Structures are given as structure tokens and as C-alpha cells.
């Protein structure tokens, strides 16, 4: 495992979330690994003085080739790292310097031991599915991928929106709500969970639809196989709506339709051998803990 290349990605607006990066880089170098830093992140670290006397290779994400990617930050940073990695099939190590850390759950204090295990081949890679969203715009469809979720939302000043939903060409329902979250199993513990969606095991082959503040109490989250194709048509009194893909949002005209399906590639997440999703649930959601 020596001479493996590790590409670093990170938060470029909060230096506190990269406070342990120097120690992590030194650990990898001592173990015989090579360091590459995404250029925008490297520029940020240099201005903050975090790369003093270190001289890693700097490359834009489009030119990075590595054996592993290292995401320094919280889950939001991990999602951005996954977006920049795209279909390169570089597995990602998430070091949690954020808050909750469902995806990035390796704590900085455990990083040294983890990289020693990794160099000895003692690790697992979990493959996670993504969603592909494409948008109709003058008969051209532009596509984007999401590891967590694709959310359709009303503007703050708007009333509820109507979201007509078809699955594999068959009419499901028209959601009258503040929005709709379509998530992967990975994203089930994110936005979907916050609006009442179920927690789904990350290796489940499923897609979750969770309405946001639905007008009808009978409307509930819905789970289906991940090989379906979903079509969303939105109607709004304001004639526009918001689309958020893993937290990156944009306003669209309600004449635009959205197609959602499973992406043609997966993202690999590097885990400790003994890691279990059940451990994450107990640690992050305090399952079984009695704080009385």
C-alpha cells in the first residue's frame, strides 16, 4: 500500500474545520503515501498558514488522479468532495471536523491508527448509489448527480407548490406541499429524515420520496426500488421553484420538468474494518442512551 496517492479536499470558508490537516498529512507521508491537494483548497490553506513548510502537489479537481480522496470537514464537505470526484471511482475517506458526521464519521484523533490500518490493507469500501437529475430546458436535458438527495422546494414568498409525480410512466400522485425530497439510502439520514422520512440501510437498493409539509395528512413518505425512473412536473403560483441537489440550490421556471433515476456510477466510502452502520446510528442519534 505504500506509494499510494491521497488527494485532499476541504472546506474553503472555515479554517477551523481543517485544523488537523497538517497532522493527517504528516501521518500519511510517514507511512509512505503521497499528497495532492485540490487547488482551491490548497490556496485557502496557504493563506491561513496551514501549509507552512509543506509543499504538496496542487491540482484542479478535474486533473486529480489518486488512490484515495480525503475529505476534511463535515458531511457537507463530503458531498462536495463526491461532486468533484464524480465518476472517477476514487474512494473517499471522510474525516469529521464538522458537527454530526453521518457520512464523515472518522474522528481526527482516530486518523493515525486508521491510516496505519489502511496502509496494511485493513479497510473496507462501501459502494453508495447516487441519483441523477436532468432538467428539460428548450428540449435540452442537463444532468447532475446527488449522493444524498434532490429536493424540489417552494420559494420563501410563495404558496404551496403542486408536484405531479410519475414513476416509470405511471401516475403516482400530485403532492401539494412546500416541497418534495427524493433521496438515496445514504441521504435518508439527511434532509429526508428531518421532514419525517424513514432511516434506510445504506446498502438498500431503494429511492425514498418524502413530502415537505404536505397539505394532506394522508400523504406519507414512500420507498421504491432504485431502478425506477421518476418524472416531476411542478406548478407554482409564482411560476418558479427551487431545486436543491445535495444542498446546492437554484431557481427554475415551473415549465421545466425533472427526470430522476439512479446514476450510472457509484461513490466509494472508505471505512474501518470494524465499522457498522448500526454503530453510527447509536453514536450519532444516541439510540439506547438514557440521559435522565
Amino acid at each position: 500500500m505504500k506509494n499510494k496517492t491521497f488527494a485532499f479536499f476541504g472546506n474553503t470558508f472555515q479554517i477551523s474545520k481543517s485544523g488537523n490537516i497538517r497532522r493527517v498529512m504528516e501521518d500519511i507521508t510517514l507511512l509512505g503515501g503521497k499528497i495532492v491537494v485540490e487547488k482551491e483548497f490548497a490556496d485557502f490553506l496557504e493563506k491561513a498558514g496551514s501549509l507552512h513548510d509543506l509543499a504538496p502537489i496542487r491540482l484542479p479537481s478535474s486533473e486529480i488522479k489518486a488512490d484515495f480522496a480525503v475529505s476534511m470537514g463535515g458531511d457537507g464537505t463530503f458531498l462536495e468532495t463526491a461532486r468533484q470526484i464524480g465518476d472517477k471511482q476514487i474512494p473517499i475517506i471522510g474525516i469529521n471536523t464538522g458537527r454530526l458526521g453521518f457520512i464523515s464519521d472518522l474522528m481526527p484523533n482516530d486518523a493515525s491508527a486508521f491510516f496505519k490500518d489502511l496502509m496494511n490493507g485493513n479497510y473496507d469500501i462501501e459502494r453508495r448509489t447516487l441519483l441523477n437529475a436532468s432538467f428539460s430546458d428548450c428540449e435540452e436535458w442537463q444532468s447532475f448527480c446527488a449522493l444524498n438527495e434532490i429536493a424540489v422546494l417552494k420559494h420563501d414568498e410563495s404558496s404551496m407548490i403542486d408536484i405531479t409525480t410519475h414513476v416509470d410512466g405511471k401516475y403516482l400522485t400530485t403532492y401539494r406541499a412546500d416541497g418534495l425530497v427524493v433521496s438515496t439510502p445514504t441521504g435518508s439520514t439527511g434532509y429526508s429524515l428531518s421532514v419525517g422520512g424513514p432511516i434506510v440501510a445504506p446498502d438498500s437498493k431503494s429511492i425514498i420520496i418524502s413530502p415537505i409539509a404536505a397539505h394532506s395528512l394522508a400523504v406519507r413518505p414512500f420507498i421504491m426500488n432504485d431502478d425506477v425512473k421518476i418524472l416531476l412536473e411542478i406548478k407554482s403560483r409564482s411560476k418558479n421553484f427551487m431545486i436543491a441537489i445535495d444542498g446546492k440550490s437554484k431557481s427554475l421556471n415551473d415549465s421545466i420538468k425533472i427526470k430522476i433515476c439512479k446514476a450510472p456510477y457509484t461513490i466509494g466510502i472508505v471505512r474501518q474494518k470494524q465499522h457498522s452502520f448500526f454503530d453510527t446510528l447509536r453514536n450519532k442519534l444516541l439510540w439506547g442512551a438514557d440521559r435522565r
Side-chain angles (χ1 to χ4, degrees), residues 202-217:
D203 57 352
S204 301
K205 309 297 183 184
S206 55
I207 294 176
I208 307 103
I209 295 181
S210 302
I212 304 170
H215 186 59
S216 170
L217 290 176

Side-chain angles (χ1 to χ4, degrees), residues 75 111 153:
D75 284 352
L153 309 162

Side-chain angles (χ1 to χ4, degrees), residues 176-250:
R176 176 161 289 182
D178 285 354
L180 192 70
V181 179
V182 183
S183 79
T184 64
T186 300
S188 71
T189 52
Y191 197 175
S192 177
L193 181 63
S194 73
V195 299
I199 295 175
V200 179
D203 57 352
S204 301
K205 309 297 183 184
S206 55
I207 294 176
I208 307 103
I209 295 181
S210 302
I212 304 170
H215 186 59
S216 170
L217 290 176
V219 176
R220 288 291 182 263
F222 183 56
I223 303 174
M224 65 193 84
N225 289 335
D226 66 3
D227 59 355
V228 300
K229 292 178 173 58
I230 301 169
L231 178 66
L232 304 179
E233 299 178 73
I234 296 90
K235 290 302 174 187
S236 168
R237 290 182 186 176
S238 64
K239 301 300 180 185
N240 54 33
F241 65 96
M242 297 290 294
I243 181 80
I245 300 176
D246 279 350
K248 301 285 186 181
S249 60
K250 182 179 181 180

